[in-house]
Each structure stands twice: as structure tokens, then as C-alpha cells.
Amino acid sequence: MSLSPALPLAWTWTLDGWIVLTGVLAAVAAALLGNFLVLRRMSMLGDAISHAVLPGLAAAFFLTGERSSWPMFVGAVVVGLLTALFTEWVHRYGEVDEGAALGVVFTSLFAVGLVMIVQAADRVDLDPGCVLYGAIEMTPLDTLQVAGFEVPRVVVVLSVVLLINVLYVSLLFKELRIAAFDPGLATTSGFPSWAMHYSLMTLVAVTAVASFEAVGNILVVAMLVTPAAAARLLTDRLSVMVLFSAVIAAASAVLGHAGAITIPGWFGYRSTTTAGMMAVAVGGLFTLALLFAPQQGLLPKAYRRVLLSLRILGEDVLGVLYRVGEQAAAPAMTFDELHERLLCRRGSLWAVIMVLQRRGLLQRFNGTSRLTDLGVAVARDLVRSHRLWEHYLVDQAGFSPDQIHTKAERLEHVTNRAMRDQLDQATSVASTDPHGQAIPEETPEEP
Amino acid sequence: MIEASTLTEVLLLRDYNTRVVVLGATLLGLGAGVVGSFTLMRKRALIGDALSHATLPGIALAFLFATALGYDGKSLPLLLTGAAISGAIGVGAISLIRRTTNLKEDAALGIILSVFFGAGVALLGIVQQAPGGHAAGLESFIYGKTAAMLVRDAQLIAIAAAACVAVSLALFKELSLLCFDAAFAASRGYRTALLDGVLMAMVVVITIIGLQAVGLVLMIALLVIPPAAARFWTDDLRRMTRVAAGLGAASCYLGALLSAIYPRLPSGAMIVLTAATAFLVSSLFGVQRGVAIRAFRRRRFLRRIELEHLLRSVYEVVEAHADETAPVERLQSLRSWSPAALRRVIRRAEQGELIRRDSGDTVRLTTRGAIRAEWLTRQHRLWELYLITHADVAPSRVDRGADDIEHVLEPETVAQLERLLDDRDRATPPASPHVIVTEVGR
């Protein structure tokens, strides 16, 4: 699909630049804290806070009688903190599962807020949507004068929030790390883990509420969890994870806005919601991490599994040919004979034989395969491992001879020379295995 | 004030609208209570939350496709199908993330919830421009409001709730095994993946039917709060499911009635608040795990321990001084209890006829008290001997450990100790392996 010429990429820096900057600021601020929420299994907190702030907004309105930003901000942050606190109480004193405790608390708070708002409905139009579903597209319209420049108000607010979060995470990194992985250790090493917990909760509430108004709650909930989760798939080091999550969050903010402008054009529509597309973008990046992350990713994992099974099959081919060579004068087997012995897929067997041939371990002649000298040497070590294990299992571990073959079949693939030497010692240099077959000598090492 | 006639009209469900809303909500509360019990025990209470949010892109896509093909985009079956498909994909993705990565359940829920909902919002932005789409309000159309429930909605709820209850009854043993020990269930040859699928399918059905009738937050609340409240009343899953269904239905019934009586109270919020009140009451007074009963049990246990310490102290003083009576001041010096606490526990022991108080501030054991004190001292010393002979603990350090464990030793353990220590003499306790200081002022 190509870009429709009728709907060109309408990107103007004065407008889209500010929108993207707002998105990046909100996304990175949330993602930094999100790392610790994900590690402490509190990822759903953002979602809970986004529902639960309603009574805070309503209470602020009742107390001040006006719809100004500051009291509502404070009210929402306080209730956001209360959500965390109540959840903790229900979890600890009621012995309720954490997820369920969160569900009980935020739905109840939301209901309280709804009742309060309905009571106020005939006095003022208090739309929770105006706070919860802030529109990022409107950010360039509401500006402030900062050092002579005209800067959107939201950009100023979010810059401050981001700065606080960066300072918090970088200055208290060690404490946050210990508190995330081992709260008990944190307490014994002299700083209270509850203080870390509630300072984190406070910042999450502040970040969430500041961003709700600017960019909407979807983006906050998405950015609190998803970049950190994607980064978690990519690394096991917390410092690297924090950096990755920030990069992923910023990238998805940029991609999201670009997508919101361009993608609907492909289908003949105008642009769509930027915040929604930013959530989609971070979801896309997470999917990429899920598929391709070097250690955790689904495709690398599947690739490693296939590689391992092919390596084992290759070693089995060598072993079979070696054992045939022990008995027959002409130690060669046709493809069908090998297939019958190994009961594997024909395609896999073909691939393995090709690889073995290329490595010079196996020769093919008139449709039959036979070991080269190098192949014999490698196969001898394998068969030696197998028979040493069998002997060891019977001799030292007390298995009966009919139980040992499958075990040895598995162990032979993970046995190196040093282990073979030890087995040899442990079985007092045996010369035959329990089935009466000779244990081959170790191949001399290359000079 | 409320007119009496309004009250009777509402309470007797004379008004057609009220009847529909109250009955529909009550049935939904019942069905969600049953399904929620299983998800709570499976530690997936918030799956309904993620699922509800994950329906949005399906709804928007269903609308877009239907209008593009020339059908009515707002036909309910169509939108429900879209919601169910995208919800099921969301649930499947959650389970994929949980199974294949080291991310935990909560992260998987958060990712799917936010990304799917974001996609839905983005799609709604397009829906609003759709040709012929007086599409504004699609979101509120599908995420309905309780008070606006229609007969059609109530009928759907009745069918969904009945289906969920029927499946739960038919597969109760399998599902409860899955909830308590999935690994064991798998080892017994149950197909846990299939059972999980059945459970998730029930969640999808009840959530999607409920969503369009009562809205998102109420649906989440009905899946979480009544089962969590029921958990305080019983440890038995079958009974818990029944209590949760009852609580869910009752909360919906009461909440909807309250809202019908007081029109300024929104019905969805009132149902949640009724359920939340039930949760609060249950958490305090639930007879199995409530805060009050646990505090009471703890207090009773601590009192028993105090009493048993007193009895053993009296026994030890009597034993050391070869005297029938034990002076209170000697008891006082034996343990670190305050004089007031000692007087309190002596009074309780007197009431229980375990000791008798003589003039001159001495106490003696009654026959009942002597039997129990002997038995306790014996357990204490058996454990001390065990620690010395089998665990290589120094004799001077065994007293504390035995002090804690003497109250909770099972008869089987005592029998084993007897065998180990070759102690056949059941009548009297062995001699204490360490010095007991019973003199005052040392």
C-alpha cells in the first residue's frame, strides 16, 4: 500500500512538533517509573488510578466550587495515592489477592466519584472526560511565555514531571533496585522499603494525573507498562532496562503520531487519535521484542530449539554409522536404512547429512553414507560417552541394565572430554559396557 | 421525601422499566459472581478488566466492516461478535505472554488492556469519519448504562448467566481442581489448557453480555467484588461460589432498587457501592477469614499460651520445692510477665478451675490443672531433650525453642519424640535438662 497522493503527510513543525514533544515527555516520564511497577507486579496500578481519580476531581470541585486545574490536580493525586494505600490494606489485612484488591478498590472509588458528580450535575457541567481523556492534539493551542518563547503549557508541566522522575530514578537507583527485588533486604540494609514504595506511588500518581489532562489516560496506562515490559524482554540488567524503556517510549510516541497522521490516509480517512496510535505503536514495539528478543524472544527460542534438535540428530547419525562400522566390514548405510533407524523427519535427516558432509565427517557414495576418518574420531567419542554412562549408571548409580539406554542416549550429547575422563575414573577404567560391548578408546587429541 | 406510593411501586416492581433493570442486573450479578469465583481462585481477578477494554477495537472494526459492506453497523449481534472476537484474541495474547516470557500476569494484563484500548480509540477516531456513520456514541452504545437496560439485554443476560451456571455445575470438580492446583490437575490427566479455555470463554461471554447492558466499571466490579467478599465467609469453593452468586445478585437487586427510589443516585454506581459495602462488612465480620474472627482467634490462642505458661510455671515451682503450693512472687520471677498480666492469667486459671488460690498469696494446682500441667511440662521437656540429643543445641539454649513449640505439638509428634528418646514413662515428665531458677531475687 502506498501513500495516497491526495492526502499528503501534513507535518508542520509548529503543530506536530509540539504534539510529538508532549507525547515523548509523557511517555518517557511514565516509562521510567513503569520499570519498577512491572518488577514489583503492580502494572495494573496505572489503569486503576485512571479510573479511581474521579472522586478526587469531584471532591476538589465541591471544596472549591470551581473547575480550576490546581485543586483538581491535587485531589486526583491524593485519590491516586489512596488507591495504592487502600489496595495495600485490603491485600495485607484482608489477605485478598493483590489483583482482586486493586479491582475492589478502584471500582468502588469510581462509583463514589460517579455519585458525587451526578449530585453536582445540575450546578455545573463537570465532565470527567475533560480530565481523563485529554486531547494531545489540542496541546499547541494553550501556551505560556517561557523566557520569551511561546511554549505550550502542557510541555512545561510534563517537562517538570519528567525532570523529577529522572532525578528520582537516577539518584535513588540503588535503593529502588533493592526495594524492587528484595524489600526485606532493603529494610535490613537500613532504609525503609515502605518509604520507597510510597514515594514511587506518589510519583506514579503525579505523573499519571499530569498526563491525563495533557495526553489522556490510555497513553499513560500503556506507557507505564508496555515499554518496561518490552525492555524486560530485551535485557536482564535493570539499568539497561530503564534506558531501553525510555527509548522505546520515546520512539513509540514519534511513531504513534506519524501513524495517526498517515495510516488512516491509506484507507481514505483523515487522521485519527494520536494517543490511541501511540498506544498501538508501543504495542507494535512490544510485539517486535516478543518475537525477536535475543534471549526471551519467541523466534530466537524456536531457532535455538531447532538447532539443538538438529545437532542431536547429527550426532545420532554419526553414532549409528559408527555402531554399524563395528560389526560390518563395509560400514555404509543408505538413506532409507538411516531413516528407519532414527525415526525422524526425512527433511531433517537430509539437512543433517548435508551438513555433516560439508564438515567432512561423512562421505556419500552411490546413495550410501559412510564416516570419514574425522567422522570416525568424533563418533568414537560419542559412543564412548554413551557406553561410559551406561557402565556408570549400572555400576555406580544402581540402575538395572534395561533402564539405562535412554538415559545414556540423552547424556551422551552433553558430555565432554573432561567428564568422560571422570566417568572413566569412577568406573575404574572399564573396557566393556553392561551390554557387553567394548568401550572405545578416547581419540588422541590433535597435536 | 419519598412518597409511600412510589416506594411500594418500586419495591413490588410494578414499573416495567424498573422490573427489567432490577431483574437483568440481579441475574448478571449472579452469573458474574459464579464466574468471578473461579477467576479469583485462579488468581486472575482482573482478567475481566483487561477483557472489557480489549473489546473496543473489535466493536469499531465490526462497525467499519459492516458499514463498508452495506449492513447496519449498529446491529447488536454484529457488534457483540466483534467484541467477543477481539476480547478472545486479547485473552489469548495474555496467556501467550504469560506462558512464553518471564513477564508476570499483571504486566500481560496491563499491556493488552492499554494497547487494545488504544487501538480501539484510534479506530473510533476513524469510525467518526465513516460514510453514513452517525457513529458518534458507538462507545457509549456498547458500554451501556444500567438504567437504560432493555428487555432484549435482560434476556441476553438471563441466557448468558444460565449458560455460565450450567457449565460451572457440570465442570465443577475439574474447575476447582484447576483453581487450586493446576499442576496436580494436569498430572491426573485433566486437560488444563482446555479447562482454562472453558473458564476464559465463560468470562468472555458474561463480560460481553454484561458490558453492553451495564458498562465497563460495573462489569469489572461484579466479577471481582462479590467473590472477594465471599472468600471471607468460607474456605470451601462450592460454598464460596454460592455465596458470591448470592452477594452479587443481592448487591445488584439492592443497588438497582435504591437507584429506582432515589433517581439522583446512578444505578451502576449504587450497585458497586452496595457490593463494596458487602465487601467491607464481609472483610470485617466474615466467619472464616474476616479481620474480626482472625483477631479473635489470635487473641484466644495467645490467652491459651499464657495460661499454659502459668500452669507449667506452677508445676516447675512445685516440683523444685517439693511443696504443694507455689508463691505468686516466685511465679512472677520465673517469666517476664507484668504483675498485672500474671494476676489476670491467675484469675482466668481460677475460673477454669485449673488452679486454686490460697491465703497468703500462694497458688496450687487442682487435679485437672495438675494433669494438664504435667502433660505440658512433659511435652516441653521432651522437645528440649530432642533438641539436645538430636539437633545438637546447647542445654542452656533449648528453653526458648521448647517454649514456643509446646503449645502446638501434635499427638503424633509427641509419640515420635517418645520413640526417639525412648521415653516409655507416660505418667511423669522427665527431669528438666537445664537449671530452672525458681528462687526469688536471683
Side-chain angles (χ1 to χ4, degrees), chain A residues 136-152:
Chain A
I136 191 172
E137 290 83 354
M138 302 298 162
T139 51
L141 303 180
D142 180 10
T143 56
L144 281 178
Q145 289 286 336
V146 176
F149 290 99
E150 203 148 293
V151 181

Side-chain angles (χ1 to χ4, degrees), chain A residues 286-287 290 298, chain B residues 47 50 54 85-101 103-105 107-109 111-113 115-116:
Chain A
F286 176 81
T287 312
L290 182 65
L298 298 183
Chain B
I47 191 90
I85 291 173
S86 94
I89 292 175
V91 170
I94 288 169
S95 115
L96 177 80
I97 293 172
R98 195 186 45 234
R99 277 189 294 109
T100 58
T101 69
L103 295 171
K104 301 294 180 295
E105 175 88 12
L109 290 176
I111 293 165
I112 296 306
L113 176 150
V115 172
F116 273 57

Side-chain angles (χ1 to χ4, degrees), chain A residues 41-43 47 93-95 99-100 107-108 118-119 122 218 222 232 269-273 276 280 290 296 298 301, chain B residues 40 46 49 100-102 104 106-107 111 114 118-119 121-122 125-126 129 217 224-225 232 264 269 272 276 289 294:
Chain A
R41 305 187 184 184
M42 299 190 300
S43 311
D47 171 56
Y93 300 116
E95 293 186 353
T107 53
S108 306
V118 170
Q119 303 316 306
D122 44 358
I218 309 146
R232 179 73 191 87
Y269 294 101
R270 293 187 307 278
S271 64
T272 180
T273 334
V280 173
L290 182 65
Q296 295 262 325
L298 298 183
K301 265 193 206 163
Chain B
L40 178 74
L46 286 182
D49 189 3
T100 58
T101 69
N102 55 7
K104 301 294 180 295
D106 63 310
I111 293 165
S114 57
V121 170
I126 290 175
Q129 311 159 19
V217 172
V224 176
I225 302 182
F232 290 110
R264 285 173 66 91
V272 177
R289 295 157 62 100
R294 276 190 288 128

Side-chain angles (χ1 to χ4, degrees), chain A residues 372-394:
Chain A
T372 62
D373 289 346
L374 184 59
V376 170
V378 173
R380 186 191 297 130
D381 287 349
L382 279 164
V383 173
R384 178 172 157 80
S385 300
H386 182 94
R387 292 183 182 159
L388 279 173
W389 270 115
E390 288 193 328
H391 191 78
Y392 176 83
L393 286 172
V394 171

Side-chain angles (χ1 to χ4, degrees), chain B residues 266-279:
Chain B
S267 50
M270 288 321 290
I271 291 174
V272 177
L273 290 180
T274 317
T277 313
F279 176 84

Side-chain angles (χ1 to χ4, degrees), chain A residues 21-245:
Chain A
L21 182 62
T22 312
V24 169
L25 289 173
V28 175
L32 285 179
L33 303 179
N35 287 293
F36 302 98
L37 292 186
V38 167
L39 288 177
R40 305 181 70 169
R41 305 187 184 184
M42 299 190 300
S43 311
M44 291 297 275
L45 193 72
D47 171 56
I49 287 182
S50 79
H51 291 291
V53 292
L54 203 54
L57 304 176
F61 171 75
F62 275 122
L63 288 178
T64 61
E66 53 181 316
R67 280 199 305 172
S68 64
S69 295
W70 271 108
M72 291 224 173
F73 181 81
V74 173
V77 168
V78 168
V79 178
L81 258 179
L82 286 181
T83 311
L85 187 68
F86 290 161
T87 305
E88 176 82 12
W89 285 355
V90 172
H91 171 58
R92 192 187 301 159
Y93 300 116
E95 293 186 353
V96 177
D97 180 41
E98 262 164 328
L102 199 62
V104 171
V105 170
F106 87 75
T107 53
S108 306
L109 284 173
F110 183 82
V112 170
L114 206 59
V115 171
M116 288 165 85
I117 281 185
V118 170
Q119 303 316 306
D122 44 358
R123 278 192 282 159
V124 67
D125 174 35
L126 186 68
D127 179 14
C130 70
V131 180
L132 287 184
Y133 314 111
I136 191 172
E137 290 83 354
M138 302 298 162
T139 51
L141 303 180
D142 180 10
T143 56
L144 281 178
Q145 289 286 336
V146 176
F149 290 99
E150 203 148 293
V151 181
R153 192 177 56 85
V154 169
V155 170
V156 178
V157 172
L158 287 177
S159 302
V160 173
V161 170
L162 176 61
L163 184 69
I164 295 173
N165 288 356
V166 168
L167 287 177
Y168 177 75
V169 170
S170 51
L171 293 181
L172 294 176
F173 185 74
K174 200 179 70 189
E175 287 79 1
L176 279 169
R177 179 169 57 193
I178 301 178
F181 289 112
D182 195 342
L185 176 65
T187 309
T188 53
S189 22
F191 62 92
S193 62
W194 66 265
M196 299 312 295
H197 178 74
Y198 284 106
S199 59
L200 180 64
M201 293 300 109
T202 311
L203 282 186
V204 169
V206 168
T207 308
V209 176
S211 311
F212 287 161
E213 199 189 357
V215 298
N217 59 350
I218 309 146
L219 190 57
V220 182
V221 178
M223 292 302 169
L224 274 176
V225 188
T226 321
R232 179 73 191 87
L233 295 180
L234 295 172
T235 175
D236 283 337
R237 286 192 67 85
L238 183 59
S239 49
V240 182
M241 178 179 160
V242 171
L243 285 181
F244 277 6
S245 70

